[in-house]
């Protein structure tokens, strides 16, 4: 029964058809979003448990959105509940690092056409290590966010609308054939997206009264930011993983999340309950002048990519990553190989050329994790104390989460 | 002395900076081109030695260019010398399969800015198996060539001019990191080129009186033809290899070529002399319904890519090729690995992620080929009897050419 349910989960993960249909202000499209709400990464916490960069990012979001005058005002309103905090995963969103969403921010809208659900992700802030999602809020960060809101978001949104919807499943499949694992490497994805959008930019530029400068700026933003596609992939990942939620008897992981103080997982057959554990272990490759002591956890949900069989589960497709996050091509292939031991299927579409086009391992199964002792490998960017990105590496989802989930599963469904 | 000369050859191959600067009619830019001349692949032959598809392609070129009314007229004028035949390599060109150039055809212009020389390649005809370069000439082929001449060539040329020149060295380096070996796989190259050109298309579309339809058609042509970049790479390859010609004492191969009846090589220290051998052996992966008996040799010079350390010399960068030309990823890595035994250097820029970013083997050395018995591996498309592409595979340059070259080298320079 569990096996059939897990096969169904894998089937839904593989047969999902995420399609990019637009870019809209968060308030207009995200279910349950309000003007006074700030979404952030991680299983929900009381306000006083948010600390460090994630706390700063929430406060920054409140100021950016005009919900608070300054830090003290934001602190007071967050403590009183006048400004509310929502958990991204409960609003069909996933957050990058701190994962801050406020009402006016533009979000990518991705429909899973096969299953009818929709998911969202906000836009990449650009490659400066100083970004709201890495716990920094200052004039430069503010201006960058405004630029996304006023230029990049609307221009992209119009091009996507003109396209009639972009088939992300096909694009992601191609990107994996071109050296992306679509978590820490997104170069091919971003390039393919740009190529796909190019004719719609040209068509827009050719219309009377068109503002070519805005179009060119947005294209330049895409050209400069090889990481841009990660957010598109994350929205596709969330739209895909949500289709595999709430399958009775399934012990497949439907979500993983990180806040400043916890790593948590959800299991398909166990509804919306988070199984919370400690912060993850990491093999880090840090930018020059940083040490592991400088790493600070600020949250993160880009591991939605691993949840759908990419990232650490497709490392062998992306040997070019070795320079960025460390490890030899052989070690990456080995890590990737071991993920087959904790998953229930091989992906029908995402395939690894170097493994003779074997499908990526997909559908993390909690009992396999416990029995093998192999923890899910997650490719990730790393934040530093005081804010900013300081490196990248491979995280391991903590065993605790899986043990708690297994206990709950056994309690609910029996042995 | 030979070693120093060969190091110089490798240095020139690695330090070349091919830059795409325009698309122009052949007659306007190719040195020595005349209105009555048809260029074709291979070391020069008497007219009566051209047979099969290559002969048909030359005749087709004559009719296309208006030099002959029909096949009989073309035969007569080619026999009498009224229409002359030139060898692509002697005109800074390289040909794909039959490699037909006539005066009015648009050609990509690539400058090697480091060394000041220029090379050319005509445009990809599109993915129909029926193409002039595969020995077919009919109304459909005619219309396709006219389309290149009237739409794709001029539109691309304008976009390239607007760009101020496109740095192909960087683009090719990136493509190798994205799964291309740039001979039989050019998906990343074409995608990167499209991304690079996109802003110039948008800028063109935004100008008063712009014809967006032509721009969109050309973008669509690029989007449909993942192979498009091969011609760009070939022009870059020729511009690069020509910089390593005529180095006194160098036993490095400076060109390889195939006609309908011979495979030939040139050696840097031995000037423009071709060392001619038999047709190559091939491990073929044919399209459904074809057998090896259907293969017909019609010429080909895309092996300029192997001459500069790509194609078969970078197979391990392109495991996705296994479906197209056959072989497991392991076999491809092994073939690639063995090319280090017959080359003089590792490329400074083209590096193979899967080999821990080892530079590709570059600079084929004739004595190493003879001593090891390892023949250069060449990724290639295969033509069929009666015209058209029928598959792909790995060719081996014949040993004879290298033995003759070695004898001539020893005669010229002593032991």
């Amino acid at each position: 029964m569990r096996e059939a349910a897990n096969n169904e989960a894998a089937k839904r993960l593989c047969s999902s058809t995420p399609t990019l249909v637009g870019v809209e202000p968060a308030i207009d499209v995200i279910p349950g979003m309000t003007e006074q709400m700030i979404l952030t990464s991680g299983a929900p916490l009381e306000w006083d448990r948010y600390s460090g960069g994630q706390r700063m990012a929430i406060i920054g979001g409140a100021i950016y959105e005009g919900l608070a005058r300054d830090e003290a005002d934001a602190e007071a309103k967050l403590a009183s509940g006048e400004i509310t905090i929502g958990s991204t995963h409960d609003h069909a969103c996933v957050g990058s690092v701190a994962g801050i969403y406020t009402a006016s921010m533009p979000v990518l809208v991705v429909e899973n056409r096969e299953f009818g659900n929709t998911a969202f992700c906000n836009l990449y802030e650009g490659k400066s290590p100083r970004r709201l999602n890495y716990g920094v809020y200052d004039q430069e960060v503010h201006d960058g966010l405004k630029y996304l809101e006023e230029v990049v978001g609307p221009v992209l949104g119009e091009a996507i609308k003109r396209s009639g919807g972009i088939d992300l499943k096909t694009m992601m499949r191609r990107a994996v054939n071109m050296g992306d694992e679509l978590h820490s490497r997104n170069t091919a994805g971003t390039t393919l997206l740009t190529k796909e959008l190019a004719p719609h930019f040209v068509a827009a530029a050719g219309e009377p009264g068109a503002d070519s400068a805005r179009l060119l700026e947005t294209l330049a933003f895409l050209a400069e930011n090889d990481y841009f596609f990660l957010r598109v992939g994350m929205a596709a990942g969330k739209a895909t993983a949500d289709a595999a939620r709430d399958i009775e008897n399934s012990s497949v992981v439907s979500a993983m999340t990180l806040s400043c103080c916890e790593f948590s997982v959800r299991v398909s057959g166990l509804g919306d309950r988070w199984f919370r554990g400690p912060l993850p272990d990491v093999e880090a490759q840090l930018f020059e002048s940083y040490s592991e002591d400088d790493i600070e956890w600020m949250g993160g949900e880009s591991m939605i990519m691993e949840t759908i069989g990419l990232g650490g589960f497709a490392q062998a497709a992306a040997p070019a990553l070795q320079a960025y996050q460390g490890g030899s091509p052989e070690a990456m292939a080995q890590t990737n190989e071991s993920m087959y031991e904790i998953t229930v299927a091989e992906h029908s579409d995402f395939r690894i050329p170097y493994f003779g086009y074997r499908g990526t391992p997909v559908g993390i199964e909690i009992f396999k994790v416990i029995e093998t002792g192999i923890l899910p490998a997650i490719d990730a960017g790393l934040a530093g104390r005081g804010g900013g990105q300081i490196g990248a590496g491979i995280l391991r989802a903590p065993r605790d989460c899986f043990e708690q989930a297994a206990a709950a599963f056994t309690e609910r469904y029996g042995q």
Side-chain angles (χ1 to χ4, degrees), chain A residues 129-198:
Chain A
R130 299 178 67 75
R131 303 175 225 158
L132 183 61
N133 281 333
Y134 277 89
V136 181
Y137 186 71
D138 59 16
Q139 191 62 42
E140 180 194 338
V141 171
H142 168 274
D143 294 348
L145 291 170
K146 272 286 165 217
Y147 187 70
L148 292 180
E149 195 176 315
E150 292 169 359
V151 180
V152 178
V155 168
L156 267 184
E158 193 202 325
I160 294 164
K161 281 236 173 66
R162 281 174 183 273
S163 77
I166 292 172
D167 171 5
L168 295 178
K169 175 77 152 293
T170 300
M171 191 171 282
M172 291 162 76
R173 181 182 59 70
R174 295 195 77 195
V176 173
N177 278 344
M178 292 168 72
D180 282 1
E181 40 67 274
L182 291 171
H183 189 167
S184 282
R185 188 167 167 96
N186 296 280
T187 305
T190 302
T191 308
L192 289 167
L193 180 65
T194 306
K195 175 180 168 182
E196 190 80 17
L197 289 174

Side-chain angles (χ1 to χ4, degrees), chain A residues 170-326:
Chain A
T170 300
M171 191 171 282
M172 291 162 76
R173 181 182 59 70
R174 295 195 77 195
V176 173
N177 278 344
M178 292 168 72
D180 282 1
E181 40 67 274
L182 291 171
H183 189 167
S184 282
R185 188 167 167 96
N186 296 280
T187 305
T190 302
T191 308
L192 289 167
L193 180 65
T194 306
K195 175 180 168 182
E196 190 80 17
L197 289 174
H200 308 295
F201 277 78
V202 170
E207 293 199 343
D211 184 346
S212 288
R214 280 164 62 88
L215 295 164
L216 289 169
E217 280 181 38
T218 301
L219 267 181
F221 186 82
L222 287 170
E224 281 159 20
N225 292 298
D226 283 343
Y227 240 79
F228 183 89
F229 192 81
L230 176 56
R231 304 308 182 87
V232 180
M234 285 169 64
K238 177 64 173 162
T240 298
D242 273 359
R245 277 166 80 165
D246 299 325
I247 300 172
E248 192 77 1
N249 283 301
S250 171
S251 54
V252 161
V253 169
S254 56
M256 300 192 283
T257 185
L258 183 70
S259 67
C260 54
C261 57
E262 290 172 338
F263 191 101
S264 310
V265 307
R266 274 177 175 164
V267 174
S268 179
L270 297 173
D272 288 346
R273 180 165 163 201
W274 287 110
F275 299 95
R276 299 171 188 240
L279 292 166
D281 287 328
V282 60
E283 300 156 37
Q285 167 101 343
L286 300 173
F287 301 156
E288 223 176 356
S289 86
Y290 292 104
S291 77
E292 299 223 353
D293 290 341
D294 296 316
I295 296 173
E296 182 181 319
W297 300 104
M298 301 183 184
E301 300 178 330
S302 46
M303 55 196 75
I304 193 73
M305 304 319 293
E306 279 75 8
T307 311
I308 65 163
L310 293 167
F313 291 60
Q315 275 190 9
L321 263 188
Q322 64 198 287
Y324 174 66
Q325 70 178 23

Side-chain angles (χ1 to χ4, degrees), chain A residues 110-130:
Chain A
V110 171
E111 285 176 13
N112 184 342
R113 292 195 166 163
E114 179 70 15
F115 294 100
N117 62 306
T118 301
F120 312 91
C121 193
N122 52 14
L123 296 172
Y124 182 59
E125 293 173 60
K127 62 190 162 190
S128 162
R130 299 178 67 75

Side-chain angles (χ1 to χ4, degrees), chain A residues 19-56:
Chain A
T19 307
L20 179 60
V21 297
V23 177
E24 303 288 348
I27 188 71
D28 291 350
V29 287
I30 294 178
M33 188 74 188
T34 72
E35 298 282 1
Q36 279 69 41
M37 183 177 276
I38 294 170
L39 303 183
T40 190
S41 294
L45 298 171
E46 294 301 309
W47 167 238
D48 59 10
R49 290 197 65 206
Y50 289 104
S51 63
Q54 186 167 19
R55 190 177 183 93
M56 287 310 302

